[in-house]
Amino acid sequence: MIFVFTCLQVLNALDVAKTQWYHFTAIIIAGMGFFTDAYDLFCISLVTKLLGRIYYHVDGSPKPGSLPPNVSAAVNGVALCGTLAGQLFFGWLGDKLGRKRVYGVTLMLMSLCSIASGLSFGSEPKAVMGTLCFFRFWLGFGIGGDYPLSATIMSEYANKKTRGAFIAAVFAMQGFGILGGGVFAIIVSAAFDSRYGSPPYEVDPVGSTVPEADYVWRIVLMVGALPALLTYYWRMKMPETARYTALVARKADQAASDMSKVLQVKIESEQQKVENMASKPSNQYALFSREFIRRHGLHLLGTTSTWFLLDIAFYSQNLFQKDIFSAIGWIPPAKTMNAIHEVFKIARAQTLIALCSTVPGYWFTVALIDRIGRFAIQILGFLMMTVFMFALAIPYNHWTLPDHRIGFVVLYSLTFFFANFGPNATTFVVPAEIFPARLRSTCHGISSAAGKLGAIVGAFGFLYLAQNQDKSKADAGYPAGIGVKNSLIVLGAINFLGLLLTFLVPEPKGKSLEDICGENDESGESGSGNRSTKSDPAVQV
């Protein structure tokens, strides 16, 4: 006998619901968390040069002070380490305690640590950098929790027709977070530069960094708390997702009551069906059990490996970003600017990149993901990233010539565009759809943590790997590497491997979550659900 679990009215009502206001409310509430995540993670890159000038000035040096390699790696990377840990911990906790109960904790942790980062105390470099790294680790820990929780909540609230677009829209707020960080840094630096104007470093090395510059980086970091605090109340007002309440907590009455209010329809409680479903062996296997590996092992391998490989390529973009900015004149030599004006130039450059390639790529995904599917977008993205990486790498010496640098910028922008209209979005969406409700948040946390491990490899491993093969020409403090050209070839190969591993991931477009993960039938085979997608006649939405 096949037991059809999605005859539960509450889940069927969610699956067939027309797009309505509560969907957009959920996108905004979850999306503002991702706006904050992106702002907090990426705003540090806007002020690291300023930190170097303030705390690591060397008298008589022809160049402004800069963070030593180990300090720079710690300041920029500690939040990524915290994010990785937070994704694993809060992903697991979201399945144990519920999505909503954990959701508010992550938001408050992000808000408090954003403020504390800007209040990093001490006048000595070690004290300031040490406290900054401490608070940014815990900031990252809170950000990490937002990944599995936001994705899972949005997938469990959405209807099956537009679920991909709704989850992708939450993730797309990351683009606005990056953009918002750049715009705010422009405003703050322009205001301070106008009020406390100073000569360039080459004219007055000491006077080019005014004492008030210390406020600039602190303000930029602290403002990251604001969007999170603004949405805290609404996060706490959201009811727990019906799928967690019914399938995991086994409270059919509560699930029906909550969704009756949200959907504004009458939904019957079906406690006995929930109990019957929970007693099925096919819905009792644990994470990493033999049964889980049989049904979802390849799926988890696919989501973790593709996210890992994608983030290596995505976060390694800083390898040639400085060359691009210098080549097109967006960032002049550091010695020709004062400290605050350098922040303005860096923020303007990153804002333009976000506006031209990052934000459009995300929203192309939102528009097309439920039309052409996750699989097609991810394959296309990895393919185009592979092509453009090799196009940058093989004739690399050609692109370094002054007359050809515009072409280099175009290819770089297209690589970034297809990362966002491609695997950067889909690797976030798919893990929230293809695993059972009781393991969904945990599996998304594992997948996203693999991505953050790739980010650490991309941002820091390749920073060393891409150094000049001649040690005398490598950046100060770094050993010789394999060079930018060879690094780009390696990244092209990584993208191609990501393309191949995409074939391990199923296509969830247009299916209910229970159909996709096999909760619909007694055999429990993933994606084997054959239930009609027609709505339950007892539920009118």
Side-chain angles (χ1 to χ4, degrees), residues 90-394:
F90 286 114
W92 168 79
L93 206 61
D95 283 333
K96 293 297 180 183
L97 301 182
R99 291 49 159 142
K100 177 188 173 180
R101 289 178 66 183
V102 184
Y103 211 25
V105 175
T106 63
L107 203 67
M108 287 308 299
L109 188 59
M110 287 158 52
S111 300
L112 292 173
C113 290
S114 290
I115 295 170
S117 295
L119 297 176
S120 297
F121 50 83
S123 56
E124 293 298 315
K126 283 187 178 179
V128 176
M129 295 302 123
T131 52
L132 177 61
C133 288
F134 174 80
F135 289 121
R136 281 194 63 79
F137 174 85
W138 291 107
L139 170 65
F141 194 71
I143 289 172
D146 225 40
Y147 275 73
L149 294 172
S150 290
T152 301
I153 286 171
M154 197 65 247
S155 74
E156 293 181 347
Y157 262 107
N159 60 56
K160 62 187 179 183
K161 183 178 179 181
T162 56
R163 184 179 60 241
F166 289 161
I167 304 172
V170 170
F171 191 66
M173 292 300 289
Q174 189 177 80
F176 288 123
I178 298 170
L179 187 64
V183 169
F184 184 71
I186 288 172
I187 294 170
V188 172
S189 58
F192 271 76
D193 199 25
S194 175
R195 179 67 178 83
Y196 305 104
S198 58
Y201 182 87
E202 61 186 358
V203 174
D204 185 353
V206 175
S208 66
T209 306
V210 295
E212 291 79 8
D214 196 49
Y215 293 115
V216 172
W217 70 269
R218 295 177 186 274
I219 292 171
V220 169
L221 296 188
M222 291 172 71
V223 165
L226 190 59
L229 289 172
L230 290 174
T231 56
Y232 179 77
Y233 171 78
W234 298 108
R235 278 199 180 193
M236 295 299 93
K237 291 284 287 183
M238 287 179 72
E240 180 59 84
T241 69
R243 285 183 161 90
Y244 180 86
T245 304
L247 304 182
V248 184
R250 305 179 190 177
K251 297 177 181 178
D253 292 346
Q254 186 65 48
S257 173
D258 288 344
M259 291 305 106
S260 292
K261 295 174 184 176
V262 169
L263 297 172
Q264 297 182 333
V265 296
K266 181 176 176 56
I267 300 175
E268 293 182 14
S269 170
E270 299 170 297
Q271 185 65 37
Q272 188 57 50
K273 289 180 180 179
V274 170
E275 297 295 339
N276 290 342
M277 183 62 179
S279 66
K280 298 286 182 180
S282 60
N283 287 289
Q284 294 181 340
Y285 58 85
L287 182 67
F288 299 135
S289 63
R290 183 174 298 178
E291 192 66 14
F292 174 87
I293 292 172
R294 183 179 74 83
R295 293 175 176 173
H296 299 290
L298 289 178
H299 298 164
L300 188 59
L301 176 62
T303 57
T304 53
S305 60
T306 52
W307 206 336
F308 173 76
L309 295 169
L310 175 275
D311 271 9
I312 291 177
F314 187 79
Y315 280 83
S316 68
Q317 45 110 1
N318 60 14
L319 295 178
F320 38 92
Q321 195 172 75
K322 62 181 181 181
D323 297 327
I324 290 172
F325 291 163
S326 299
I328 59 181
W330 285 358
I331 302 180
K335 65 181 181 180
T336 65
M337 299 178 284
N338 65 47
I340 296 176
H341 193 64
E342 186 176 32
V343 174
F344 175 86
K345 290 287 189 180
I346 293 170
R348 187 184 67 171
Q350 295 202 13
T351 299
L352 289 170
I353 288 290
L355 196 61
C356 295
S357 61
T358 306
V359 172
Y362 283 126
W363 290 98
F364 264 73
T365 301
V366 173
L368 297 174
I369 191 168
D370 286 313
R371 297 184 183 184
I372 64 177
R374 293 76 161 143
F375 179 83
I377 290 176
Q378 188 158 310
I379 287 288
L380 175 65
F382 270 129
L383 176 63
M384 299 309 292
M385 289 172 70
T386 303
V387 170
F388 291 130
M389 283 290 187
F390 283 133
L392 288 168
I394 295 171

